[in-house]
Short mmCIF file of all heavy atoms in Angstrom, two decimals:
data_model
loop_
_atom_site.label_atom_id
_atom_site.label_comp_id
_atom_site.label_asym_id
_atom_site.label_seq_id
_atom_site.Cartn_x
_atom_site.Cartn_y
_atom_site.Cartn_z
N PRO A 1 -6.15 -22.37 -3.90
CA PRO A 1 -6.66 -22.23 -2.53
C PRO A 1 -5.55 -21.80 -1.57
O PRO A 1 -4.42 -22.28 -1.65
CB PRO A 1 -7.16 -23.63 -2.20
CG PRO A 1 -7.37 -24.30 -3.52
CD PRO A 1 -6.33 -23.73 -4.44
N VAL A 2 -5.89 -20.89 -0.67
CA VAL A 2 -4.91 -20.41 0.30
C VAL A 2 -5.64 -20.10 1.60
O VAL A 2 -6.77 -19.61 1.60
CB VAL A 2 -4.14 -19.18 -0.22
CG1 VAL A 2 -5.07 -17.97 -0.39
CG2 VAL A 2 -2.96 -18.84 0.66
N GLY A 3 -5.00 -20.42 2.73
CA GLY A 3 -5.58 -20.17 4.03
C GLY A 3 -5.04 -18.89 4.65
O GLY A 3 -3.98 -18.39 4.25
N ALA A 4 -5.76 -18.37 5.63
CA ALA A 4 -5.37 -17.11 6.26
C ALA A 4 -3.99 -17.19 6.90
O ALA A 4 -3.26 -16.19 6.95
CB ALA A 4 -6.41 -16.72 7.31
N HIS A 5 -3.60 -18.37 7.36
CA HIS A 5 -2.30 -18.53 8.01
C HIS A 5 -1.15 -18.60 7.01
O HIS A 5 0.02 -18.61 7.40
CB HIS A 5 -2.29 -19.78 8.88
CG HIS A 5 -2.47 -21.05 8.10
ND1 HIS A 5 -3.68 -21.40 7.52
CD2 HIS A 5 -1.59 -22.05 7.79
CE1 HIS A 5 -3.54 -22.56 6.90
NE2 HIS A 5 -2.29 -22.97 7.04
N GLU A 6 -1.48 -18.64 5.71
CA GLU A 6 -0.45 -18.80 4.67
C GLU A 6 -0.16 -17.52 3.91
O GLU A 6 0.65 -17.53 2.98
CB GLU A 6 -0.91 -19.87 3.67
CG GLU A 6 -1.16 -21.24 4.26
CD GLU A 6 -1.75 -22.20 3.24
OE1 GLU A 6 -2.89 -21.95 2.78
OE2 GLU A 6 -1.07 -23.19 2.91
N VAL A 7 -0.83 -16.43 4.25
CA VAL A 7 -0.76 -15.23 3.41
C VAL A 7 0.04 -14.10 4.03
O VAL A 7 0.19 -14.00 5.25
CB VAL A 7 -2.17 -14.71 3.07
CG1 VAL A 7 -2.99 -15.78 2.35
CG2 VAL A 7 -2.90 -14.20 4.31
N ASP A 8 0.56 -13.26 3.14
CA ASP A 8 1.00 -11.91 3.48
C ASP A 8 -0.07 -10.96 2.94
O ASP A 8 -0.87 -11.33 2.08
CB ASP A 8 2.32 -11.57 2.81
CG ASP A 8 3.51 -12.29 3.42
OD1 ASP A 8 3.36 -12.84 4.53
OD2 ASP A 8 4.58 -12.30 2.78
N ILE A 9 -0.07 -9.73 3.42
CA ILE A 9 -0.95 -8.70 2.87
C ILE A 9 -0.11 -7.86 1.91
O ILE A 9 0.89 -7.26 2.31
CB ILE A 9 -1.57 -7.82 3.96
CG1 ILE A 9 -2.26 -8.68 5.02
CG2 ILE A 9 -2.55 -6.83 3.35
CD1 ILE A 9 -3.37 -9.57 4.47
N ASP A 10 -0.52 -7.85 0.65
CA ASP A 10 0.27 -7.17 -0.38
C ASP A 10 -0.32 -5.82 -0.75
O ASP A 10 -1.54 -5.66 -0.83
CB ASP A 10 0.32 -8.04 -1.65
CG ASP A 10 1.15 -7.39 -2.75
OD1 ASP A 10 2.30 -7.00 -2.46
OD2 ASP A 10 0.65 -7.27 -3.88
N HIS A 11 0.56 -4.85 -0.96
CA HIS A 11 0.16 -3.59 -1.57
C HIS A 11 0.25 -3.78 -3.09
O HIS A 11 1.34 -3.99 -3.63
CB HIS A 11 1.08 -2.45 -1.14
CG HIS A 11 0.90 -2.04 0.29
ND1 HIS A 11 1.55 -2.69 1.33
CD2 HIS A 11 0.13 -1.07 0.85
CE1 HIS A 11 1.19 -2.11 2.47
NE2 HIS A 11 0.33 -1.14 2.21
N ILE A 12 -0.89 -3.74 -3.75
CA ILE A 12 -0.92 -3.96 -5.20
C ILE A 12 0.04 -2.98 -5.89
O ILE A 12 0.88 -3.38 -6.70
CB ILE A 12 -2.35 -3.81 -5.73
CG1 ILE A 12 -3.26 -4.87 -5.11
CG2 ILE A 12 -2.37 -3.92 -7.26
CD1 ILE A 12 -4.74 -4.65 -5.38
N TYR A 13 -0.12 -1.71 -5.61
CA TYR A 13 0.84 -0.70 -6.07
C TYR A 13 1.87 -0.60 -4.94
O TYR A 13 1.59 -0.05 -3.89
CB TYR A 13 0.14 0.63 -6.29
CG TYR A 13 0.89 1.64 -7.14
CD1 TYR A 13 0.32 2.15 -8.31
CD2 TYR A 13 2.15 2.12 -6.78
CE1 TYR A 13 0.99 3.08 -9.09
CE2 TYR A 13 2.82 3.05 -7.54
CZ TYR A 13 2.23 3.53 -8.70
OH TYR A 13 2.90 4.47 -9.47
N PRO A 14 3.06 -1.15 -5.12
CA PRO A 14 4.02 -1.28 -4.02
C PRO A 14 4.38 0.07 -3.38
O PRO A 14 4.43 1.10 -4.06
CB PRO A 14 5.24 -1.92 -4.67
CG PRO A 14 4.70 -2.61 -5.89
CD PRO A 14 3.59 -1.74 -6.37
N LEU A 15 4.64 0.03 -2.09
CA LEU A 15 5.00 1.24 -1.38
C LEU A 15 6.26 1.89 -1.96
O LEU A 15 6.31 3.11 -2.15
CB LEU A 15 5.23 0.93 0.10
CG LEU A 15 4.04 0.38 0.90
CD1 LEU A 15 4.47 0.10 2.34
CD2 LEU A 15 2.86 1.33 0.86
N ALA A 16 7.26 1.08 -2.24
CA ALA A 16 8.51 1.63 -2.78
C ALA A 16 8.30 2.26 -4.15
O ALA A 16 8.88 3.30 -4.48
CB ALA A 16 9.59 0.55 -2.86
N ALA A 17 7.44 1.63 -4.97
CA ALA A 17 7.13 2.20 -6.29
C ALA A 17 6.37 3.51 -6.12
O ALA A 17 6.63 4.49 -6.83
CB ALA A 17 6.32 1.21 -7.11
N ALA A 18 5.42 3.53 -5.18
CA ALA A 18 4.67 4.77 -4.93
C ALA A 18 5.61 5.89 -4.51
O ALA A 18 5.48 7.04 -4.96
CB ALA A 18 3.61 4.53 -3.85
N TRP A 19 6.57 5.56 -3.66
CA TRP A 19 7.56 6.56 -3.23
C TRP A 19 8.28 7.13 -4.44
O TRP A 19 8.40 8.35 -4.61
CB TRP A 19 8.54 5.92 -2.25
CG TRP A 19 9.63 6.84 -1.78
CD1 TRP A 19 10.87 7.00 -2.33
CD2 TRP A 19 9.58 7.73 -0.65
NE1 TRP A 19 11.61 7.93 -1.62
CE2 TRP A 19 10.83 8.39 -0.59
CE3 TRP A 19 8.60 8.02 0.29
CZ2 TRP A 19 11.12 9.34 0.40
CZ3 TRP A 19 8.90 8.97 1.29
CH2 TRP A 19 10.14 9.60 1.32
N ASP A 20 8.78 6.25 -5.30
CA ASP A 20 9.52 6.70 -6.48
C ASP A 20 8.67 7.54 -7.42
O ASP A 20 9.15 8.51 -8.03
CB ASP A 20 10.07 5.49 -7.25
CG ASP A 20 11.23 4.81 -6.55
OD1 ASP A 20 11.82 5.42 -5.63
OD2 ASP A 20 11.55 3.66 -6.91
N PHE A 21 7.39 7.16 -7.55
CA PHE A 21 6.52 7.82 -8.52
C PHE A 21 5.83 9.08 -7.97
O PHE A 21 5.02 9.67 -8.67
CB PHE A 21 5.47 6.85 -9.04
CG PHE A 21 5.95 5.94 -10.14
CD1 PHE A 21 6.01 4.56 -9.94
CD2 PHE A 21 6.35 6.45 -11.36
CE1 PHE A 21 6.45 3.72 -10.96
CE2 PHE A 21 6.78 5.61 -12.38
CZ PHE A 21 6.83 4.25 -12.18
N GLY A 22 6.14 9.47 -6.74
CA GLY A 22 5.58 10.73 -6.27
C GLY A 22 5.23 10.80 -4.80
O GLY A 22 5.07 11.90 -4.26
N ALA A 23 5.09 9.65 -4.11
CA ALA A 23 4.68 9.69 -2.71
C ALA A 23 5.76 10.29 -1.81
O ALA A 23 5.46 10.67 -0.67
CB ALA A 23 4.32 8.29 -2.22
N TYR A 24 6.99 10.39 -2.31
CA TYR A 24 8.05 11.04 -1.53
C TYR A 24 7.66 12.47 -1.18
O TYR A 24 8.11 13.04 -0.18
CB TYR A 24 9.37 11.04 -2.32
CG TYR A 24 9.34 11.96 -3.50
CD1 TYR A 24 9.69 13.30 -3.40
CD2 TYR A 24 8.90 11.50 -4.74
CE1 TYR A 24 9.62 14.16 -4.48
CE2 TYR A 24 8.83 12.34 -5.83
CZ TYR A 24 9.19 13.67 -5.70
OH TYR A 24 9.11 14.52 -6.78
N ALA A 25 6.82 13.10 -2.01
CA ALA A 25 6.44 14.49 -1.81
C ALA A 25 5.13 14.65 -1.03
O ALA A 25 4.70 15.76 -0.76
CB ALA A 25 6.31 15.19 -3.17
N TRP A 26 4.47 13.53 -0.68
CA TRP A 26 3.22 13.61 0.07
C TRP A 26 3.49 13.93 1.54
O TRP A 26 4.59 13.67 2.05
CB TRP A 26 2.48 12.28 0.02
CG TRP A 26 1.96 11.88 -1.32
CD1 TRP A 26 1.93 12.63 -2.46
CD2 TRP A 26 1.41 10.60 -1.67
NE1 TRP A 26 1.39 11.91 -3.49
CE2 TRP A 26 1.05 10.67 -3.04
CE3 TRP A 26 1.16 9.43 -0.96
CZ2 TRP A 26 0.47 9.59 -3.71
CZ3 TRP A 26 0.59 8.35 -1.62
CH2 TRP A 26 0.24 8.44 -2.97
N ASP A 27 2.47 14.45 2.20
CA ASP A 27 2.60 14.61 3.65
C ASP A 27 2.37 13.26 4.33
O ASP A 27 1.92 12.29 3.70
CB ASP A 27 1.66 15.69 4.18
CG ASP A 27 0.18 15.39 3.98
OD1 ASP A 27 -0.21 14.21 3.98
OD2 ASP A 27 -0.59 16.36 3.81
N SER A 28 2.68 13.19 5.61
CA SER A 28 2.64 11.92 6.32
C SER A 28 1.24 11.33 6.38
O SER A 28 1.07 10.10 6.34
CB SER A 28 3.21 12.08 7.73
OG SER A 28 2.48 13.04 8.46
N GLU A 29 0.22 12.16 6.47
CA GLU A 29 -1.14 11.65 6.55
C GLU A 29 -1.58 10.99 5.25
O GLU A 29 -2.21 9.93 5.26
CB GLU A 29 -2.11 12.78 6.91
CG GLU A 29 -3.58 12.39 6.94
CD GLU A 29 -3.91 11.27 7.93
OE1 GLU A 29 -3.11 11.00 8.86
OE2 GLU A 29 -4.99 10.65 7.77
N ARG A 30 -1.22 11.59 4.13
CA ARG A 30 -1.58 10.99 2.84
C ARG A 30 -0.84 9.66 2.66
O ARG A 30 -1.42 8.68 2.16
CB ARG A 30 -1.26 11.94 1.69
CG ARG A 30 -1.70 11.41 0.31
CD ARG A 30 -1.62 12.51 -0.74
NE ARG A 30 -1.91 12.02 -2.08
CZ ARG A 30 -3.13 11.82 -2.58
NH1 ARG A 30 -4.19 12.07 -1.82
NH2 ARG A 30 -3.30 11.38 -3.81
N ARG A 31 0.41 9.60 3.05
CA ARG A 31 1.14 8.34 2.95
C ARG A 31 0.52 7.29 3.86
O ARG A 31 0.42 6.11 3.49
CB ARG A 31 2.62 8.54 3.27
CG ARG A 31 3.41 9.18 2.14
CD ARG A 31 4.91 8.96 2.31
NE ARG A 31 5.45 9.66 3.45
CZ ARG A 31 6.00 10.86 3.41
NH1 ARG A 31 6.06 11.52 2.26
NH2 ARG A 31 6.49 11.42 4.50
N ARG A 32 0.09 7.68 5.06
CA ARG A 32 -0.56 6.73 5.97
C ARG A 32 -1.85 6.18 5.35
O ARG A 32 -2.11 4.97 5.42
CB ARG A 32 -0.88 7.40 7.31
CG ARG A 32 -1.43 6.45 8.36
CD ARG A 32 -2.06 7.20 9.53
NE ARG A 32 -3.24 7.94 9.10
CZ ARG A 32 -4.43 7.37 8.90
NH1 ARG A 32 -4.60 6.07 9.08
NH2 ARG A 32 -5.46 8.11 8.52
N GLN A 33 -2.63 7.05 4.75
CA GLN A 33 -3.88 6.61 4.13
C GLN A 33 -3.61 5.64 2.98
O GLN A 33 -4.30 4.64 2.81
CB GLN A 33 -4.67 7.82 3.64
CG GLN A 33 -5.22 8.68 4.76
CD GLN A 33 -5.90 9.94 4.25
OE1 GLN A 33 -5.97 10.20 3.04
NE2 GLN A 33 -6.40 10.76 5.17
N PHE A 34 -2.59 5.94 2.18
CA PHE A 34 -2.22 5.05 1.08
C PHE A 34 -1.74 3.70 1.60
O PHE A 34 -2.14 2.65 1.08
CB PHE A 34 -1.13 5.71 0.23
CG PHE A 34 -0.65 4.85 -0.91
CD1 PHE A 34 -1.35 4.81 -2.11
CD2 PHE A 34 0.50 4.08 -0.78
CE1 PHE A 34 -0.91 4.00 -3.16
CE2 PHE A 34 0.94 3.28 -1.83
CZ PHE A 34 0.23 3.24 -3.01
N GLY A 35 -0.91 3.72 2.61
CA GLY A 35 -0.35 2.49 3.15
C GLY A 35 -1.38 1.58 3.79
O GLY A 35 -1.13 0.39 3.97
N ASN A 36 -2.55 2.13 4.13
CA ASN A 36 -3.60 1.37 4.80
C ASN A 36 -4.91 1.38 4.01
O ASN A 36 -5.99 1.25 4.58
CB ASN A 36 -3.82 1.93 6.20
CG ASN A 36 -2.62 1.75 7.10
OD1 ASN A 36 -2.43 0.70 7.70
ND2 ASN A 36 -1.78 2.76 7.17
N ASP A 37 -4.81 1.48 2.69
CA ASP A 37 -5.98 1.55 1.82
C ASP A 37 -6.57 0.15 1.62
O ASP A 37 -6.24 -0.55 0.67
CB ASP A 37 -5.60 2.17 0.47
CG ASP A 37 -6.77 2.29 -0.48
OD1 ASP A 37 -7.91 1.98 -0.08
OD2 ASP A 37 -6.55 2.67 -1.65
N ILE A 38 -7.46 -0.24 2.54
CA ILE A 38 -8.05 -1.57 2.50
C ILE A 38 -8.93 -1.76 1.27
O ILE A 38 -8.94 -2.83 0.64
CB ILE A 38 -8.87 -1.82 3.77
CG1 ILE A 38 -7.95 -1.82 5.01
CG2 ILE A 38 -9.64 -3.13 3.69
CD1 ILE A 38 -8.71 -1.89 6.32
N GLU A 39 -9.66 -0.74 0.88
CA GLU A 39 -10.64 -0.87 -0.18
C GLU A 39 -10.01 -1.11 -1.55
O GLU A 39 -10.58 -1.83 -2.38
CB GLU A 39 -11.51 0.39 -0.25
CG GLU A 39 -12.40 0.60 0.98
CD GLU A 39 -13.27 1.83 0.84
OE1 GLU A 39 -13.13 2.54 -0.17
OE2 GLU A 39 -14.07 2.09 1.75
N THR A 40 -8.84 -0.54 -1.80
CA THR A 40 -8.29 -0.56 -3.15
C THR A 40 -6.95 -1.25 -3.29
O THR A 40 -6.72 -1.96 -4.27
CB THR A 40 -8.14 0.89 -3.68
OG1 THR A 40 -9.32 1.64 -3.40
CG2 THR A 40 -7.88 0.90 -5.19
N ASN A 41 -6.07 -1.08 -2.31
CA ASN A 41 -4.67 -1.44 -2.55
C ASN A 41 -4.15 -2.62 -1.74
O ASN A 41 -2.98 -2.97 -1.86
CB ASN A 41 -3.77 -0.22 -2.28
CG ASN A 41 -2.40 -0.36 -2.90
OD1 ASN A 41 -2.23 -1.02 -3.93
ND2 ASN A 41 -1.41 0.26 -2.28
N LEU A 42 -4.98 -3.25 -0.91
CA LEU A 42 -4.48 -4.32 -0.06
C LEU A 42 -5.23 -5.63 -0.33
O LEU A 42 -6.46 -5.66 -0.30
CB LEU A 42 -4.64 -3.94 1.42
CG LEU A 42 -3.73 -2.81 1.91
CD1 LEU A 42 -4.11 -2.39 3.32
CD2 LEU A 42 -2.27 -3.22 1.85
N VAL A 43 -4.48 -6.69 -0.60
CA VAL A 43 -5.07 -8.01 -0.82
C VAL A 43 -4.19 -9.07 -0.14
O VAL A 43 -2.97 -8.89 -0.03
CB VAL A 43 -5.20 -8.36 -2.32
CG1 VAL A 43 -6.14 -7.39 -3.03
CG2 VAL A 43 -3.85 -8.38 -3.01
N PRO A 44 -4.79 -10.18 0.29
CA PRO A 44 -3.99 -11.28 0.82
C PRO A 44 -3.51 -12.17 -0.33
O PRO A 44 -4.24 -12.43 -1.28
CB PRO A 44 -4.99 -12.04 1.70
CG PRO A 44 -6.32 -11.82 1.04
CD PRO A 44 -6.25 -10.45 0.41
N THR A 45 -2.29 -12.59 -0.26
CA THR A 45 -1.76 -13.55 -1.24
C THR A 45 -0.73 -14.42 -0.55
O THR A 45 -0.15 -14.04 0.47
CB THR A 45 -1.15 -12.84 -2.46
OG1 THR A 45 -0.80 -13.81 -3.46
CG2 THR A 45 0.10 -12.06 -2.09
#
């Protein structure tokens, strides 16, 4: 069990890993969309 006041929002596929694996070559809009992907890549933990 965890409460809303106890969590961080995690990127399942980490931003730094995404950068290394190819996001360095994306345009800024694609990186923004990835960084704020609520449906797939963001969870509270």
Side-chain angles (χ1 to χ4, degrees):
V2 66
H5 63 289
E6 300 174 295
V7 301
D8 287 346
I9 307 301
D10 181 51
H11 289 85
I12 297 170
Y13 198 122
L15 299 178
W19 178 268
D20 287 344
F21 278 116
Y24 70 88
W26 293 351
D27 62 32
S28 59
E29 176 59 19
R30 183 168 175 81
R31 283 198 293 266
R32 185 194 66 78
Q33 292 175 0
F34 178 83
N36 295 276
D37 181 5
I38 295 173
E39 294 182 357
T40 314
N41 198 30
L42 291 172
V43 298
T45 187

